[in-house]
Amino acid sequence: IYFRCMNKNYEAYKTHMQKIADIGYACALLNWDQETYMPPKSAMFRGQQLSTLATLQHDLFADDGTGNLLDKLKDDSSLSAEEKKNIELTRKDFLKSKKYSSAFVGKKSLAVSRAHGAWVKARSENNFAGFEKELTEIIELTKEEAEFLGYENHPYDALLDNYESGANTNDLSVLFDDVKKNLVDFVKDISERKQVNNDFLFRKFDKDKQ
């Protein structure tokens, strides 16, 4: 038990992954600021900051040192079931990460930041044309990403694994077709019935009286 708890390779793995996670947490904080309090004119600088951090995070994770450490641990019998699962899932992400270039990671991060600013402006003006260029760029990069990852039947299968591991578009098409078959008529039936009076939700109340 003492040896298992003090497994030097696993401790090195945890330290390494914590550094990678910390960069991700920093990105999350910058993204939160971008979506809440950040002045609009800071968008260009914030986009570059996020791109730099995303590239650093990718390079640190996709480094050969990470792969060597995971190779040492994947068949380590001293690990607990939970630790073995951590290594298995991390190795899966590592092999996927190796398919991306640093340049692509930075480029996509920058494009997403630009798109966010364009979307906020277009939404406030109710003007899709103001967002169309950035959206098109994101779509093209996403198609490129699917090619990096590889797929057998449908490009989205490569991307879907990021959100629902093991799922594919064929399986989900069956699921959604079934939902659609039942849901469309259900929603129509509800809409044709007498609606509940909810005007109280839209009334104005004096702040002082509250």
Side-chain angles (χ1 to χ4, degrees):
I1 295 175
Y2 179 77
F3 173 76
R4 182 171 65 78
C5 293
M6 296 301 294
N7 186 311
K8 291 182 179 179
N9 286 329
Y10 194 79
E11 291 302 310
Y13 156 77
K14 290 200 299 182
T15 299
H16 186 60
M17 294 307 298
Q18 185 62 60
K19 289 180 182 178
I20 294 168
D22 287 342
I23 296 176
Y25 299 148
C27 287
L29 182 59
L30 291 177
N31 272 310
W32 171 81
D33 179 62
Q34 179 176 256
E35 297 189 17
T36 52
Y37 298 107
M38 189 185 79
K41 290 184 179 181
S42 300
M44 181 181 69
F45 303 103
R46 180 53 50 81
Q48 185 57 55
Q49 292 160 4
L50 287 167
S51 176
T52 297
L53 288 174
T55 303
L56 286 172
Q57 185 181 37
H58 169 268
D59 290 348
L60 193 59
F61 185 47
D63 183 75
D64 288 342
T66 305
N68 293 335
L69 189 57
L70 291 172
D71 285 342
K72 291 177 183 177
L73 288 164
K74 68 182 179 70
D75 296 319
D76 191 331
S77 60
S78 71
L79 300 180
S80 67
E82 181 179 336
E83 290 167 342
K84 288 179 180 178
K85 194 64 177 179
N86 284 338
I87 299 303
E88 177 189 333
L89 295 176
T90 303
R91 194 165 184 274
K92 178 185 176 182
D93 289 341
F94 168 76
L95 294 174
K96 186 183 294 185
S97 181
K98 293 290 284 185
K99 297 180 180 181
Y100 294 86
S101 68
S102 298
F104 178 82
V105 170
K107 182 179 180 181
K108 185 179 180 184
S109 176
L110 195 58
V112 169
S113 291
R114 283 199 302 263
H116 174 75
W119 170 74
V120 170
K121 186 174 185 296
R123 182 185 60 175
S124 66
E125 298 173 352
N126 194 26
N127 174 29
F128 172 73
F131 177 55
E132 186 174 5
K133 177 182 176 183
E134 287 76 11
L135 178 59
T136 299
E137 182 181 13
I138 294 294
I139 292 173
E140 291 305 314
L141 285 170
T142 303
K143 288 179 179 178
E144 191 176 345
E145 182 177 2
E147 295 301 323
F148 284 154
L149 295 172
Y151 55 89
E152 292 184 8
N153 299 311
H154 193 285
Y156 193 61
D157 288 344
L159 306 168
L160 184 59
D161 190 65
N162 292 327
Y163 308 99
E164 193 66 37
S165 182
N168 58 63
T169 50
N170 287 335
D171 293 339
L172 292 186
S173 293
V174 173
L175 172 65
F176 286 121
D177 284 345
D178 185 56
V179 171
K180 181 179 178 181
K181 181 176 64 178
N182 293 282
L183 194 59
V184 171
D185 290 339
F186 179 60
V187 172
K188 182 180 179 182
D189 182 41
I190 292 175
S191 66
E192 291 174 349
R193 293 177 181 237
K194 183 179 179 181
Q195 299 301 299
V196 174
N197 181 3
N198 66 343
D199 62 358
F200 70 93
L201 295 173
F202 305 97
R203 295 177 189 171
K204 301 295 181 183
F205 295 91
D206 183 85
K207 289 183 179 180
D208 293 333
K209 288 184 177 180
Q210 291 184 57

